Amino acid sequence: AHLVTVKQRSAWAVLLWPCMLTMSIPLDCKEEPGSVSHCNSISQEKLLDRVIQHAELIYHVSEESFSMFEEMFIPFPLRLQRNQAGYACITKTLPIPSSKSETQQISDKWLLHSVLMLVQSWVEPLVYLQTTLERYDDAPDMLLNKTKWMSEKLISLEQGVVVLIKKMLDEGTLTTTYSDQGIFQHDAQPEMLESILRDYTLLGCFKKDAHKMEAFLKLLKCRQTDKYNCA
């Protein structure tokens, strides 16, 4: 029964994947020399809505990717070990709120900067993940495509958040590189089992952080419309 469920889920994923890509509104915030970014020409409210939609889609695809990887490569006992070991995520040392009460207390400015720190910290690890998954003999194209899609959308999200910070906080000049060179380190060619467990941990941590990005942005949106009733 479990096998049927997995196959059914995979079949639905194949059918719905192109639809999800076409439904997403492009977040065209890349600034080309001599041209005006599309993000600069739309309202702050619409930009925030598009940034939130991007974050929602990234989180949704991260959940699917993690589940697909787990079902294909991780035996059940190893899943239990991961949950019990409490592997530290690469973003654990970032100065961002770690609880709901902390999140409620921080300013709009720090909410935005927290999102930016999370986004930028994951750009390099997702590129690494694409590279290492390509070495797997039996990694499905769907998983590879999802990983590539998340990596590309994460860069678009970063560009959108940077423009949003400029619009909302009136910060024309902004240092946007938060990624610490020492935050993510990887061996040249780890053993296969070690590589699988590392990739499993990376996908799990990214899913967790993608949910944080979405939650921070939705809280920011709530504060714009109903400041005193945001849970």
Side-chain angles (χ1 to χ4, degrees):
H2 175 69
L3 184 60
V4 172
T5 304
V6 171
K7 286 182 177 179
Q8 286 176 338
R9 197 180 306 170
S10 299
W12 276 111
V14 172
L15 290 172
L16 295 176
W17 176 244
C19 300
M20 191 171 69
L21 293 184
T22 55
M23 283 190 300
S24 61
I25 301 173
L27 187 61
D28 185 15
C29 296
K30 187 176 181 181
E31 295 188 9
E32 301 288 351
S35 66
V36 179
S37 165
H38 178 63
C39 281
N40 287 319
S41 62
I42 64 175
S43 69
Q44 175 183 303
E45 182 181 4
K46 285 185 178 179
L47 176 58
L48 179 55
D49 286 341
R50 291 189 186 183
V51 166
I52 289 173
Q53 186 196 43
H54 250 59
E56 286 175 336
L57 282 172
I58 289 170
Y59 174 55
H60 179 70
V61 176
S62 73
E63 281 189 305
E64 291 182 343
S65 301
F66 178 77
S67 296
M68 186 181 296
F69 187 94
E70 188 174 61
E71 288 164 356
M72 289 203 65
F73 300 111
I74 308 296
F76 192 71
L78 285 180
R79 300 180 199 181
L80 293 178
Q81 285 181 24
R82 176 188 175 274
N83 292 334
Q84 292 169 358
Y87 286 99
C89 292
I90 59 172
T91 53
K92 186 179 180 180
T93 58
L94 291 179
I96 60 172
S98 57
S99 68
K100 188 174 180 179
S101 59
E102 285 181 20
T103 304
Q104 294 290 341
Q105 293 172 17
I106 65 173
S107 65
D108 292 355
K109 176 177 180 177
W110 199 243
L111 270 178
L112 277 169
H113 282 277
S114 294
V115 173
L116 188 60
M117 280 189 280
L118 285 170
V119 169
Q120 292 181 332
S121 296
W122 276 106
V123 170
E124 182 188 344
L126 283 188
V127 172
Y128 164 80
L129 195 58
Q130 287 181 68
T131 304
T132 188
L133 286 177
E134 287 173 356
R135 297 207 310 266
Y136 288 33
D137 292 332
D138 48 359
D141 287 343
M142 178 68 71
L143 181 60
L144 295 172
N145 290 339
K146 284 177 184 288
T147 308
K148 182 180 179 182
W149 183 90
M150 288 190 296
S151 184
E152 291 172 351
K153 292 300 176 185
L154 195 68
I155 293 173
S156 296
L157 182 62
E158 176 190 6
Q159 294 162 350
V161 172
V162 168
V163 176
L164 196 58
I165 287 175
K166 292 177 181 178
K167 281 179 176 285
M168 294 186 71
L169 307 179
D170 196 25
E171 295 186 8
T173 56
L174 178 70
T175 302
T176 59
T177 304
Y178 286 96
S179 56
D180 183 351
Q181 292 298 320
I183 200 171
F184 179 70
Q185 299 172 349
H186 55 83
D187 301 325
Q189 283 192 328
E191 295 292 330
M192 197 60 201
L193 178 59
E194 181 185 342
S195 179
I196 289 172
L197 291 176
R198 184 189 183 99
D199 296 345
Y200 181 47
T201 301
L202 276 176
L203 280 167
C205 289
F206 179 66
K207 180 184 74 164
K208 180 180 176 182
D209 283 345
H211 186 256
K212 283 184 182 178
M213 296 174 207
E214 179 190 349
F216 289 170
L217 289 165
K218 285 185 174 179
L219 176 58
L220 185 66
K221 172 72 175 178
C222 179
R223 287 180 179 180
Q224 306 302 305
T225 55
D226 192 7
K227 186 175 182 180
Y228 300 104
N229 291 292
C230 298

